[in-house]
Amino acid sequence: NHLELLSRSDYGGVLLITDRMLRPCLNSGITPDRFKEYHVFTLEDMFVLTDYFPQTKQANKIRVHYSERTKPLLVEHLRKSSYNASCDHWEYLKVTSNLGLMAFCYGWRVLQLNEIAMIGMDHSLYPNSENLPFSENSECFINCYKKIGQMILAPNHQLWLELFLDFLELAPASLKIINCTEGGALQHKRIKEMEFK
């Protein structure tokens, strides 16, 4: 119930939201009218994710950051829908497809935040997940998947986790990082774990 907790809160800081979570946030009352520092991130280069960006009267209050790889049709949709859209030309965005990582890096790199709390950054599947296509005893699972504790990492999760830990080296030592996901495989000595509430 992270969105419900955030919606009911009096939080006055910055929101860094991935494109897939924009519509659920708006539907939960997490709007730029209530939360003034409202940033949404997209960098998908394989699909045109126009469904993630609904028509809304609040579009001009939503800052959307896209990458050089983002499909031109999506950029056109953002502009026509009055989103406050701009391209982030940071060279490292050419090597990641992880939106959470893009948002995290933008927070300390551009906004110069000294504290970032993350939700939804689990980088893993849960045991017995419907999204797990193979049995844990299968050759494909043994050769391609990895486990950290009880959490299962598909190949893309492994890449995202490795990239996140690599990018962590770029973040200032003074940055306080808190993982409020309450689960998942994103663990590191620099990351403090805490309940979101």
Side-chain angles (χ1 to χ4, degrees):
N1 62 344
H2 288 156
L3 295 185
E4 182 184 340
L5 285 169
L6 180 57
S7 177
R8 289 182 296 152
S9 76
D10 59 356
Y11 176 65
V14 177
L15 291 182
L16 308 172
I17 302 167
T18 60
D19 53 14
R20 185 175 62 85
M21 291 307 299
L22 174 59
R23 191 181 291 270
C25 282
L26 293 173
N27 290 342
S28 297
I30 302 166
T31 68
D33 288 334
R34 290 196 50 223
F35 301 91
K36 303 303 180 194
E37 282 287 322
Y38 204 98
H39 299 263
V40 178
F41 297 83
T42 189
L43 49 66
E44 186 61 71
D45 56 357
M46 296 182 69
F47 307 101
V48 180
L49 303 175
T50 53
D51 287 348
Y52 286 179
F53 294 92
Q55 299 290 334
T56 172
K57 294 177 182 176
Q58 301 168 349
N60 65 333
K61 298 176 184 175
I62 299 174
R63 297 177 191 93
V64 178
H65 309 279
Y66 60 89
S67 80
E68 293 175 0
R69 294 163 31 200
T70 303
K71 290 284 189 187
L73 284 174
L74 178 56
V75 176
E76 183 182 344
H77 170 76
L78 293 171
R79 296 222 164 97
K80 283 184 177 176
S81 302
S82 299
Y83 283 93
N84 185 355
S86 62
C87 184
D88 186 344
H89 296 279
W90 194 37
E91 62 184 282
Y92 287 102
L93 295 179
K94 296 172 184 173
V95 298
T96 182
S97 60
N98 186 326
L99 271 182
L101 181 57
M102 179 186 185
F104 171 81
C105 289
Y106 191 90
W108 60 260
R109 180 176 58 87
V110 178
L111 302 177
Q112 299 186 333
L113 301 176
N114 56 19
E115 181 176 275
I116 297 177
M118 304 175 292
I119 57 175
M121 294 277 283
D122 58 13
H123 292 202
S124 58
L125 298 169
Y126 292 85
N128 305 317
S129 169
E130 294 175 4
N131 295 324
L132 189 61
F134 308 104
S135 158
E136 291 189 38
N137 298 322
S138 71
E139 183 179 350
C140 186
F141 184 93
I142 292 166
N143 290 328
C144 300
Y145 286 67
K146 183 177 177 181
K147 289 185 87 171
I148 295 182
Q150 292 297 310
M151 308 314 297
I152 297 168
L153 281 71
N156 60 324
H157 296 129
Q158 294 171 49
L159 176 62
W160 292 345
L161 182 58
E162 288 172 17
L163 279 172
F164 193 96
L165 297 180
D166 284 346
F167 277 66
L168 210 52
E169 299 293 320
L170 301 174
S174 59
L175 177 65
K176 184 177 180 183
I177 307 164
I178 307 164
N179 190 349
C180 302
T181 299
E182 301 174 53
L186 186 55
Q187 300 167 4
H188 187 270
K189 61 185 178 183
R190 282 197 61 187
I191 302 174
K192 180 177 181 178
E193 294 192 37
M194 188 181 294
E195 287 185 14
F196 184 55
K197 65 180 178 180

